[in-house]
Amino acid sequence: DSGVTQTPKHLITATGQRVTLRCSPRSGDLSVYWYQQSLDQGLQFLIQYYNGEERAKGNILERFSAQQFPDLHSELNLSSLELGDSALYFCASSSGTSGNTIYFGEGSWLTVV
Amino acid sequence: GEDVEQSLFLSVREGDSSVINCTYTDSSSTYLYWYKQEPGAGPQLLTYIFSNMDMKQDQRLTVLLNKKDKHLSLRIADTQTGDSAIYFCAELQGGGADGLTFGKGTHLIIQP
Protein backbone atom coordinates (compact mmCIF):
# COMPACT_ATOMS: atom_id res chain seq x y z
CA ASP A 1 0.00 0.00 0.00
CA SER A 2 1.61 3.24 -1.19
CA GLY A 3 -0.63 5.47 0.92
CA VAL A 4 -2.00 7.25 -2.17
CA THR A 5 -5.75 6.73 -2.47
CA GLN A 6 -7.71 7.05 -5.69
CA THR A 7 -11.43 6.84 -6.37
CA PRO A 8 -13.27 5.47 -8.20
CA LYS A 9 -11.32 2.34 -9.14
CA HIS A 10 -13.41 1.73 -12.24
CA LEU A 11 -15.93 3.73 -14.20
CA ILE A 12 -17.69 3.41 -17.49
CA THR A 13 -19.20 6.43 -19.18
CA ALA A 14 -20.44 7.52 -22.57
CA THR A 15 -18.75 9.76 -25.11
CA GLY A 16 -19.36 13.44 -24.53
CA GLN A 17 -19.74 13.03 -20.79
CA ARG A 18 -17.65 14.48 -17.96
CA VAL A 19 -16.07 12.62 -15.05
CA THR A 20 -14.07 13.57 -11.97
CA LEU A 21 -11.30 11.41 -10.55
CA ARG A 22 -10.22 11.95 -6.99
CA CYS A 23 -6.88 11.49 -5.26
CA SER A 24 -5.70 11.72 -1.66
CA PRO A 25 -1.91 11.95 -1.40
CA ARG A 26 0.24 10.25 1.21
CA SER A 27 0.12 11.89 4.59
CA GLY A 28 2.46 14.87 4.59
CA ASP A 29 3.04 14.95 0.82
CA LEU A 30 2.48 18.35 -0.77
CA SER A 31 2.94 17.40 -4.43
CA VAL A 32 0.37 15.56 -6.48
CA TYR A 33 0.96 14.29 -10.00
CA TRP A 34 -1.49 12.89 -12.54
CA TYR A 35 -0.48 10.33 -15.15
CA GLN A 36 -2.34 8.56 -17.93
CA GLN A 37 -1.46 4.99 -18.91
CA SER A 38 -2.61 3.51 -22.19
CA LEU A 39 -1.33 0.59 -24.24
CA ASP A 40 -0.07 2.71 -27.11
CA GLN A 41 1.27 5.74 -25.20
CA GLY A 42 2.56 4.13 -22.03
CA LEU A 43 2.73 6.27 -18.87
CA GLN A 44 2.31 9.93 -19.76
CA PHE A 45 2.72 12.82 -17.33
CA LEU A 46 -0.30 15.10 -17.31
CA ILE A 47 0.09 17.70 -14.58
CA GLN A 48 1.61 18.41 -11.16
CA TYR A 49 0.36 20.49 -8.25
CA TYR A 50 2.34 21.57 -5.23
CA ASN A 51 0.55 22.86 -2.14
CA GLY A 52 -2.44 24.01 -4.16
CA GLU A 53 -0.55 25.62 -7.04
CA GLU A 54 0.02 24.24 -10.51
CA ARG A 55 3.72 23.37 -10.72
CA ALA A 56 4.27 21.60 -14.04
CA LYS A 57 2.23 20.71 -17.08
CA GLY A 58 2.76 17.77 -19.40
CA ASN A 59 0.67 16.29 -22.17
CA ILE A 60 -2.67 17.32 -20.74
CA LEU A 61 -5.50 18.01 -23.18
CA GLU A 62 -7.46 21.24 -22.94
CA ARG A 63 -10.58 19.14 -22.20
CA PHE A 64 -8.88 17.99 -19.01
CA SER A 65 -8.28 20.07 -15.91
CA ALA A 66 -7.12 19.48 -12.38
CA GLN A 67 -6.94 21.22 -9.06
CA GLN A 68 -5.53 20.66 -5.61
CA PHE A 69 -7.56 21.70 -2.62
CA PRO A 70 -6.44 23.19 0.73
CA ASP A 71 -6.60 19.75 2.34
CA LEU A 72 -4.17 18.65 -0.44
CA HIS A 73 -6.48 16.20 -2.13
CA SER A 74 -6.68 16.59 -5.88
CA GLU A 75 -9.26 16.10 -8.59
CA LEU A 76 -8.78 15.46 -12.29
CA ASN A 77 -11.72 16.54 -14.42
CA LEU A 78 -12.15 14.98 -17.83
CA SER A 79 -14.80 16.49 -20.10
CA SER A 80 -16.24 15.93 -23.59
CA LEU A 81 -14.95 12.41 -23.31
CA GLU A 82 -13.87 10.52 -26.41
CA LEU A 83 -13.26 6.81 -26.95
CA GLY A 84 -9.52 7.48 -26.99
CA ASP A 85 -9.65 8.79 -23.42
CA SER A 86 -10.18 5.25 -22.17
CA ALA A 87 -7.13 4.54 -20.03
CA LEU A 88 -5.80 4.08 -16.53
CA TYR A 89 -5.34 7.36 -14.71
CA PHE A 90 -2.83 7.38 -11.90
CA CYS A 91 -2.25 9.86 -9.16
CA ALA A 92 1.14 10.03 -7.46
CA SER A 93 2.50 12.09 -4.60
CA SER A 94 5.79 13.23 -3.17
CA SER A 95 6.88 15.49 -0.36
CA GLY A 96 8.63 18.15 -2.45
CA THR A 97 8.41 19.83 -5.81
CA SER A 98 11.01 17.65 -7.52
CA GLY A 99 10.75 14.86 -5.00
CA ASN A 100 13.12 11.94 -4.91
CA THR A 101 10.41 9.52 -3.83
CA ILE A 102 7.23 9.56 -5.89
CA TYR A 103 4.55 7.05 -4.93
CA PHE A 104 1.65 5.99 -7.12
CA GLY A 105 -1.91 5.08 -6.28
CA GLU A 106 -3.72 2.04 -7.66
CA GLY A 107 -5.30 4.01 -10.48
CA SER A 108 -8.75 4.75 -11.84
CA TRP A 109 -9.73 2.69 -14.85
CA LEU A 110 -11.84 4.78 -17.22
CA THR A 111 -13.75 3.18 -20.07
CA VAL A 112 -15.54 5.46 -22.54
CA VAL A 113 -18.19 3.74 -24.64
CA GLY B 1 10.13 15.01 -22.87
CA GLU B 2 12.67 12.93 -24.70
CA ASP B 3 12.47 9.15 -24.94
CA VAL B 4 13.59 6.68 -22.30
CA GLU B 5 14.41 3.39 -24.01
CA GLN B 6 14.04 -0.13 -22.63
CA SER B 7 13.81 -3.60 -24.11
CA LEU B 8 10.23 -4.87 -24.15
CA PHE B 9 10.85 -8.38 -22.82
CA LEU B 10 13.34 -10.29 -20.68
CA SER B 11 13.07 -13.99 -19.90
CA VAL B 12 15.13 -15.56 -17.11
CA ARG B 13 15.17 -18.81 -15.16
CA GLU B 14 14.07 -18.83 -11.57
CA GLY B 15 17.11 -18.43 -9.34
CA ASP B 16 19.19 -16.64 -11.98
CA SER B 17 19.96 -12.92 -11.98
CA SER B 18 17.89 -10.57 -14.12
CA VAL B 19 19.45 -7.47 -15.63
CA ILE B 20 17.10 -4.86 -17.06
CA ASN B 21 18.69 -2.06 -19.05
CA CYS B 22 17.59 1.45 -19.83
CA THR B 23 18.97 4.45 -21.70
CA TYR B 24 17.84 7.95 -20.91
CA THR B 25 18.37 11.27 -22.61
CA ASP B 26 18.38 14.19 -20.20
CA SER B 27 21.88 14.71 -18.84
CA SER B 28 20.46 17.11 -16.26
CA SER B 29 18.23 14.45 -14.73
CA THR B 30 18.80 14.52 -10.99
CA TYR B 31 17.07 11.28 -10.11
CA LEU B 32 16.55 8.03 -11.99
CA TYR B 33 14.00 5.48 -10.89
CA TRP B 34 12.90 1.90 -11.23
CA TYR B 35 9.25 1.06 -10.80
CA LYS B 36 7.56 -2.36 -10.80
CA GLN B 37 4.01 -2.77 -12.04
CA GLU B 38 1.95 -5.91 -11.53
CA PRO B 39 -1.38 -6.55 -13.27
CA GLY B 40 -4.17 -4.43 -11.88
CA ALA B 41 -1.87 -2.35 -9.69
CA GLY B 42 -0.15 0.99 -9.85
CA PRO B 43 3.59 1.42 -10.42
CA GLN B 44 5.43 0.55 -7.23
CA LEU B 45 8.63 2.45 -6.47
CA LEU B 46 11.43 -0.11 -6.22
CA THR B 47 14.47 2.09 -5.94
CA TYR B 48 15.98 5.31 -7.20
CA ILE B 49 19.48 6.66 -7.63
CA PHE B 50 20.76 10.20 -7.43
CA SER B 51 22.72 11.31 -10.46
CA ASN B 52 26.01 11.76 -8.58
CA MET B 53 26.06 8.06 -7.62
CA ASP B 54 27.40 5.16 -9.68
CA MET B 55 25.78 2.31 -7.81
CA LYS B 56 23.12 1.63 -5.26
CA GLN B 57 22.38 -1.69 -3.61
CA ASP B 58 19.23 -2.59 -1.75
CA GLN B 59 18.88 -6.26 -0.75
CA ARG B 60 18.45 -8.22 -4.01
CA LEU B 61 18.42 -5.07 -6.14
CA THR B 62 21.50 -3.39 -7.58
CA VAL B 63 21.27 -0.23 -9.66
CA LEU B 64 24.18 0.83 -11.85
CA LEU B 65 24.39 4.27 -13.43
CA ASN B 66 26.73 5.24 -16.25
CA LYS B 67 26.25 8.97 -16.71
CA LYS B 68 28.65 9.21 -19.63
CA ASP B 69 26.60 6.75 -21.67
CA LYS B 70 23.28 7.73 -20.04
CA HIS B 71 22.74 4.08 -19.18
CA LEU B 72 20.91 2.71 -16.16
CA SER B 73 20.51 -0.92 -15.19
CA LEU B 74 18.62 -2.89 -12.56
CA ARG B 75 19.95 -6.23 -11.44
CA ILE B 76 17.66 -8.55 -9.50
CA ALA B 77 19.58 -11.33 -7.80
CA ASP B 78 18.04 -14.79 -7.28
CA THR B 79 14.98 -13.99 -9.40
CA GLN B 80 11.74 -15.44 -8.03
CA THR B 81 8.32 -16.01 -9.57
CA GLY B 82 7.04 -13.05 -7.58
CA ASP B 83 9.40 -10.81 -9.52
CA SER B 84 7.33 -11.37 -12.66
CA ALA B 85 6.03 -7.91 -13.62
CA ILE B 86 6.66 -4.94 -15.89
CA TYR B 87 9.66 -2.85 -14.85
CA PHE B 88 9.77 0.81 -15.77
CA CYS B 89 12.80 3.02 -15.88
CA ALA B 90 12.02 6.70 -15.32
CA GLU B 91 13.93 9.95 -15.20
CA LEU B 92 13.01 13.26 -13.64
CA GLN B 93 13.53 15.61 -16.57
CA GLY B 94 13.89 19.37 -16.52
CA GLY B 95 14.72 19.53 -12.84
CA GLY B 96 11.27 18.18 -12.13
CA ALA B 97 9.45 20.70 -14.31
CA ASP B 98 8.42 17.98 -16.76
CA GLY B 99 7.47 15.32 -14.26
CA LEU B 100 8.69 11.76 -14.53
CA THR B 101 9.38 10.45 -18.03
CA PHE B 102 8.90 6.71 -18.26
CA GLY B 103 10.20 4.10 -20.62
CA LYS B 104 7.71 1.70 -22.22
CA GLY B 105 8.53 -0.94 -19.63
CA THR B 106 10.28 -4.34 -19.70
CA HIS B 107 8.15 -7.44 -19.19
CA LEU B 108 10.15 -9.77 -16.95
CA ILE B 109 9.16 -13.40 -17.56
CA ILE B 110 10.32 -16.05 -15.13
CA GLN B 111 10.83 -19.59 -16.37
CA PRO B 112 10.60 -22.40 -13.79
Side-chain angles (χ1 to χ4, degrees):
Chain A
D1 182 7
S2 67
V4 179
T5 305
Q6 291 187 245
T7 56
K9 290 196 184 326
H10 303 274
L11 71 164
I12 302 173
T13 191
T15 53
Q17 295 298 304
R18 171 191 166 96
V19 297
T20 297
L21 309 180
R22 193 177 191 279
C23 169
S24 293
R26 283 164 23 112
S27 177
D29 282 358
L30 299 177
S31 272
V32 169
Y33 309 76
W34 286 97
Y35 284 81
Q36 179 193 58
Q37 186 175 37
S38 60
L39 277 174
D40 55 341
Q41 295 291 325
L43 272 160
Q44 296 282 315
F45 169 64
L46 296 178
I47 198 164
Q48 178 198 0
Y49 278 80
Y50 176 77
N51 203 21
E53 301 284 329
E54 183 183 304
R55 171 85 171 92
K57 214 166 191 175
N59 301 318
I60 188 165
L61 299 172
E62 285 194 13
R63 299 184 285 109
F64 296 179
S65 65
Q67 53 185 327
Q68 185 179 28
F69 295 87
D71 67 353
L72 300 176
H73 92 271
S74 177
E75 291 180 356
L76 179 67
N77 300 296
L78 315 174
S79 61
S80 303
L81 284 166
E82 301 174 0
L83 296 177
D85 298 326
S86 297
L88 261 171
Y89 291 86
F90 287 107
C91 172
S93 75
S94 70
S95 56
T97 54
S98 52
N100 54 325
T101 48
I102 302 174
Y103 294 93
F104 281 73
E106 295 293 291
S108 292
W109 189 287
L110 172 67
T111 303
V112 182
V113 297
Chain B
E2 309 257 357
D3 285 346
V4 175
E5 301 284 343
Q6 300 178 240
S7 300
L8 285 183
F9 295 96
L10 176 66
S11 178
V12 298
R13 281 200 211 163
E14 191 175 356
D16 287 351
S17 291
S18 305
V19 180
I20 304 171
N21 295 300
C22 165
T23 55
Y24 61 97
T25 55
D26 188 352
S27 57
S28 68
S29 291
T30 49
Y31 293 98
L32 295 136
Y33 303 80
W34 285 103
Y35 282 83
K36 174 185 181 183
Q37 188 176 24
E38 295 176 285
Q44 172 196 350
L45 178 62
L46 278 182
T47 187
Y48 65 94
I49 188 166
F50 190 53
S51 58
N52 69 352
M53 298 170 66
D54 297 324
M55 186 181 88
K56 181 178 180 180
Q57 189 152 4
D58 184 1
Q59 298 181 35
R60 291 191 299 123
L61 306 179
T62 303
V63 178
L64 294 178
L65 174 60
N66 181 329
K67 280 195 74 174
K68 176 175 166 292
D69 295 336
K70 298 194 187 75
H71 183 265
L72 184 73
S73 69
L74 173 70
R75 178 177 179 268
I76 306 172
D78 187 24
T79 309
Q80 303 298 308
T81 54
D83 295 324
S84 179
I86 303 176
Y87 290 80
F88 292 95
C89 168
E91 61 173 334
L92 195 64
Q93 291 186 345
D98 301 323
L100 280 176
T101 299
F102 284 84
K104 296 286 189 199
T106 299
H107 293 243
L108 179 60
I109 300 161
I110 316 299
Q111 299 172 30

